């Protein structure tokens, strides 16, 4: 996932403080069609910036990368970064009381880091240890913390107060965080971003069809995170059903 | 996070993966619901969703190179096939929410047709990108007398499988889809959010015109691929 490796350590101190302030600033629950987006004008400006950066820099680079990099190499790179995030997934599974799942993820981490050649090959998948998706944003959500405001970060993309705090907590759980070799960390972070963007090239046509891409991405981000907190279970109260009942 | 989100959206829109067309249906769709009297030619919701998806993907697979060059032919084919499955009027009503009731009948009709065209185009493009992922359909447990249900499937991709749900309800014509949920993202809810914010800014007529213009522009710029 893009940016999952997190920013390098130096950025974290003030960032964490800011994140906690933002977290306190807004914990209201919002529906995905009436999002809690009080910073919308600022967010939209950042979105335009991100969009330009994407159009002129990231997308062309990712396209070139995608053309010259065989799929099997790309799969290895995806696996490698997923494996780096496994410790965070595991900790969050335990934090949510999902002990069996946490142990499965531990098994994945061990198997893929060794037999899977440092994470390049997802051996564990064939051993019935599928990749699972947990992060501290979801953990906070499962503890009942609201998502707060929708935020658009420069270059890092959409998040919420809750997910921003989540990212900061997850960052030290990545092995990269402890590397002294700054150059390698940045190179890997860059590679992760480019791979993530390359995986999205197929979606460009879909997004280009949207009249208001900012609102479309906001809705999709919020819906998907809410669903992830529920581990994919349908929402308890569904607005569409109520509308249909009205017919 | 947005990576898998949008990949999922595409995969879901594409009713993904021709692969399952090759696999023999291990769990055949339950025949028409065992309720009192199924309407004539009424198919069960799972059967219905699955057969439309299967036929569309088979068509794409057999004629991929034609469709890659001739978008209009692709749109016409998708339009014809998914019209049989989707209830665009209900989708439009849900997307517009309270704005639907405030709209005149003429506005409603224009919106339904503009929105339908948009979805057909979007679907078609996503369909062309469908790889050979495996789709696994879940058996459907439909209680007697139910008029709404959810058909669920999961698509095997590089990473985690992606869950797709089709929400259907029974109308006179039979079972029809009114929403698709891909990895937790409801298509209707998403358009509802983005259209609501547009309606506040430019009004319903403005929104309809904008959707129509996007379609017209896409049709004009058709022959080669999208200008980037």
């Amino acid at each position: 996932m893009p940016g999952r490796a997190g920013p390098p350590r130096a950025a974290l101190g003030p960032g964490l403080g800011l994140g906690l302030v933002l977290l306190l600033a807004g914990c209201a629950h919002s529906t995905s069609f009436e999002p809690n987006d009080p910073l919308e004008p600022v967010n939209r400006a950042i979105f335009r910036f991100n969009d330009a950066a994407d159009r002129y820099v990231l997308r062309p680079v990712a396209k070139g990368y995608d053309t010259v990099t065989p799929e099997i190499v790309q799969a290895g790179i995806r696996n490698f970064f997923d494996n780096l995030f496994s410790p965070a997934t595991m900790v969050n599974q335990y934090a949510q009381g999902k002990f069996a799942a946490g142990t499965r993820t531990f098994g994945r981490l061990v198997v893929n880091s060794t037999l899977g050649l440092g994470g390049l090959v997802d051996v564990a998948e064939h051993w019935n240890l599928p990749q699972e998706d947990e992060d501290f944003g979801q953990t906070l959500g499962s503890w009942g913390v609201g998502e707060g405001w929708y935020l658009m970060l420069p270059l890092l993309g959409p998040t919420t107060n809750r997910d921003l705090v989540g990212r900061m907590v997850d960052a030290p759980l990545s092995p990269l965080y402890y590397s002294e070799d700054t150059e390698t960390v940045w190179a890997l972070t860059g590679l992760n971003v480019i791979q993530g963007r390359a995986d999205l090239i197929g979606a460009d046509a879909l997004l280009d069809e949207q009249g208001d891409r900012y609102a479309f991405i906001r809705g999709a981000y919020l819906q998907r995170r809410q669903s992830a907190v529920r581990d994919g279970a349908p929402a308890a109260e569904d607005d569409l059903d109520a509308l249909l009942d009205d017919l | 996070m947005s990576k898998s989100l949008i990949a999922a959206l595409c995969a879901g829109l594409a009713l993904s993966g021709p692969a399952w067309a090759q696999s023999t249906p291990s769990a055949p769709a339950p025949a028409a619901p065992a309720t009192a009297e199924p309407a004539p030619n009424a198919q069960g919701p799972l059967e219905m969703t699955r057969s439309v998806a299967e036929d569309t993907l088979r068509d794409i697979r057999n004629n991929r190179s034609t469709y890659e060059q001739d978008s209009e032919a692709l749109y016409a084919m998708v339009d014809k096939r998914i019209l049989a499955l989707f209830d665009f009027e209900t989708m439009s009503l849900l997307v517009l929410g309270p704005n639907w009731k405030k709209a005149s009948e003429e506005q409603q009709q224009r919106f339904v047709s503009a929105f339908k065209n948009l979805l057909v185009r979007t679907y078609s493009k996503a369909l062309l990108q469908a790889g050979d992922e495996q789709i696994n359909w879940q058996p459907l447990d439909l209680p007697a007398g139910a008029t709404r249900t959810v058909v669920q499937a999961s698509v095997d991709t590089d990473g985690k499988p992606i869950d797709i749900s089709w929400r259907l309800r029974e109308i006179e014509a039979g079972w029809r889809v009114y929403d698709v949920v891909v990895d937790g993202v409801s298509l209707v809810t998403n358009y509802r959010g983005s259209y609501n914010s547009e309606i506040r800014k430019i009004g319903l007529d403005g929104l309809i015109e904008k959707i129509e213009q996007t379609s017209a522009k896409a049709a004009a710029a058709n022959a080669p691929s999208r200008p980037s």
Side-chain angles (χ1 to χ4, degrees), chain A residues 1 33 78 199-200 202-203 206 208-210 216 219-220 223-225 227 238-241 244-245, chain B residues 1 3-4 6 13 121-122 125 129 148 158 167 178-179 183-186 190-192 194 197 226:
Chain A
M1 317 232 149
F33 62 94
R78 264 182 230 117
D199 290 337
L200 270 173
L206 171 73
D208 286 348
E209 293 281 326
Q210 304 310 323
F216 190 84
Q223 276 202 67
R224 180 142 191 286
R225 292 297 290 170
S227 162
D238 188 331
D239 196 69
L240 295 188
D241 274 329
L244 283 177
D245 289 337
Chain B
M1 244 130 279
K3 168 183 85 182
S4 40
I6 298 187
L13 285 171
R121 271 203 333 272
T122 314
K125 285 188 180 162
Q129 289 166 10
R148 280 182 221 162
D158 295 331
R167 301 168 81 185
Y178 65 87
D179 191 15
D183 209 13
V185 180
S186 144
N190 225 45
Y191 278 105
R192 186 173 175 196
S194 58
S197 84
R226 151 191 86 85

Side-chain angles (χ1 to χ4, degrees), chain B:
Chain B
M1 244 130 279
S2 51
K3 168 183 85 182
S4 40
L5 156 68
I6 298 187
L9 213 57
C10 273
L13 285 171
L15 304 164
S16 226
W20 47 264
Q22 305 152 6
S23 66
T24 41
S26 50
T35 48
E37 65 278 331
N41 0 303
Q43 278 181 305
L46 174 59
E47 200 181 353
M48 170 108 201
T49 310
R50 191 171 171 157
S51 71
V52 171
E54 194 161 341
D55 293 347
T56 310
L57 284 165
R58 189 178 302 119
D59 199 329
I60 296 262
R61 205 171 52 244
N62 294 340
N63 305 295
R64 186 183 296 274
S65 55
T66 315
Y67 289 140
E68 269 167 2
Q69 282 153 29
D70 186 353
S71 314
E72 290 308 317
L74 172 68
Y75 298 157
M77 183 278 286
V78 172
D79 185 90
K80 195 185 84 197
R81 291 189 189 278
I82 70 172
L83 260 184
L85 180 64
F86 281 72
D87 175 0
F88 289 106
E89 197 168 315
T90 302
M91 291 176 98
S92 303
L93 181 153
L94 294 172
V95 163
L96 290 186
N99 291 306
W100 175 265
K101 283 191 187 152
K102 287 185 236 153
S104 72
E105 203 163 307
E106 192 244 331
Q107 284 178 314
Q108 292 179 348
Q109 279 169 9
R110 268 181 72 200
F111 180 83
V112 172
S113 115
F115 186 53
K116 193 200 84 176
N117 286 339
L118 172 99
L119 286 186
V120 165
R121 271 203 333 272
T122 314
Y123 247 90
S124 306
K125 285 188 180 162
L127 269 168
L128 269 187
Q129 289 166 10
D132 49 0
E133 299 90 352
Q134 178 80 31
I135 268 210
N136 306 300
W137 297 85
Q138 282 176 22
L140 181 66
D141 179 21
L142 190 69
T147 55
R148 280 182 221 162
T149 189
V150 181
V151 169
Q152 290 176 300
S154 70
V155 185
D156 285 346
T157 59
D158 295 331
K160 304 188 320 151
I162 293 164
D163 292 323
I164 306 179
S165 311
W166 290 266
R167 301 168 81 185
L168 296 94
R169 69 181 194 125
E170 197 174 21
I171 56 176
E172 299 93 86
W175 287 94
R176 292 291 182 271
V177 171
Y178 65 87
D179 191 15
V180 185
V181 184
V182 181
D183 209 13
V185 180
S186 144
L187 186 84
V188 164
T189 304
N190 225 45
Y191 278 105
R192 186 173 175 196
S194 58
Y195 285 176
N196 262 350
S197 84
E198 296 227 57
I199 290 173
R200 271 199 296 270
K201 269 182 283 175
I202 55 177
L204 181 55
D205 280 325
L207 170 66
I208 295 172
E209 257 160 52
K210 200 167 165 183
I211 304 174
E212 286 171 346
Q213 276 168 12
T214 319
S215 293
K217 237 188 275 167
N222 234 337
S225 64
R226 151 191 86 85
S228 55

Side-chain angles (χ1 to χ4, degrees), chain A residues 48-66 155 190 193-194 197-198 201 204:
Chain A
R48 279 194 295 277
F49 167 78
N50 286 352
D51 207 40
D54 179 64
R55 202 164 294 266
Y56 297 111
V57 183
L58 187 53
R59 188 195 295 189
V61 170
K63 265 191 171 162
Y65 166 86
D66 193 45
L155 300 177
V193 169
I194 292 167
R197 185 62 185 89
I201 286 172
D204 287 348

Side-chain angles (χ1 to χ4, degrees), chain A residues 1-246:
Chain A
M1 317 232 149
R4 255 201 162 169
R9 212 178 328 182
L12 281 176
L16 188 59
L18 174 71
L20 288 171
V21 169
L22 285 171
L23 177 72
L24 295 173
C27 285
H29 180 76
S30 60
T31 58
S32 31
F33 62 94
E34 287 290 346
N36 186 8
D37 189 3
L39 301 183
E40 182 165 344
V42 181
N43 282 342
R44 278 190 186 270
I46 296 172
F47 180 73
R48 279 194 295 277
F49 167 78
N50 286 352
D51 207 40
D54 179 64
R55 202 164 294 266
Y56 297 111
V57 183
L58 187 53
R59 188 195 295 189
V61 170
K63 265 191 171 162
Y65 166 86
D66 193 45
T67 311
V68 301
T69 314
E71 176 48 37
I72 188 164
V73 176
Q74 295 195 34
I77 290 169
R78 264 182 230 117
N79 289 340
F80 175 76
F81 287 108
D82 286 343
N83 193 53
L84 282 186
F85 199 77
S86 282
T89 303
M90 179 185 76
V91 168
N92 281 295
Q93 284 168 327
Y94 285 126
Q96 293 175 38
K98 295 170 181 163
F99 298 108
T103 306
R104 280 199 300 275
T105 301
F106 179 69
R108 271 183 67 79
L109 178 65
V110 170
V111 169
N112 283 346
S113 302
T114 53
L115 295 177
L117 309 175
L120 291 173
V121 186
D122 190 353
V123 183
E125 193 188 37
H126 306 289
W127 291 11
N128 227 1
L129 294 169
Q131 189 196 335
E132 298 179 55
D133 167 37
E134 297 292 352
D135 52 61
F136 196 65
Q138 292 181 51
T139 300
L140 287 172
S142 78
W143 291 349
V145 178
E147 60 201 359
W149 299 342
Y150 177 74
L151 304 171
M152 180 60 68
L153 304 180
L155 300 177
L156 296 172
T159 188
T160 57
N161 296 351
R162 181 179 72 199
D163 290 342
L164 183 59
V165 172
R167 284 173 88 137
M168 290 164 182
V169 172
D170 288 329
L173 295 169
S174 164
L176 280 190
Y177 185 79
Y178 300 96
S179 168
E180 295 294 334
D181 185 351
T182 323
E183 263 175 48
T184 308
V185 171
W186 278 111
L188 285 173
T189 305
L191 180 61
N192 193 15
V193 169
I194 292 167
Q195 179 66 56
R197 185 62 185 89
D199 290 337
L200 270 173
I201 286 172
D204 287 348
L206 171 73
L207 276 176
D208 286 348
E209 293 281 326
Q210 304 310 323
D212 183 348
R213 288 186 300 146
Y214 173 83
F216 190 84
I217 289 173
R218 178 178 63 192
Y221 178 83
L222 293 175
Q223 276 202 67
R224 180 142 191 286
R225 292 297 290 170
Q226 286 161 9
S227 162
V229 169
R230 297 190 305 265
D231 289 327
E237 49 190 80
D238 188 331
D239 196 69
L240 295 188
D241 274 329
L243 276 171
L244 283 177
D245 289 337
D246 256 11

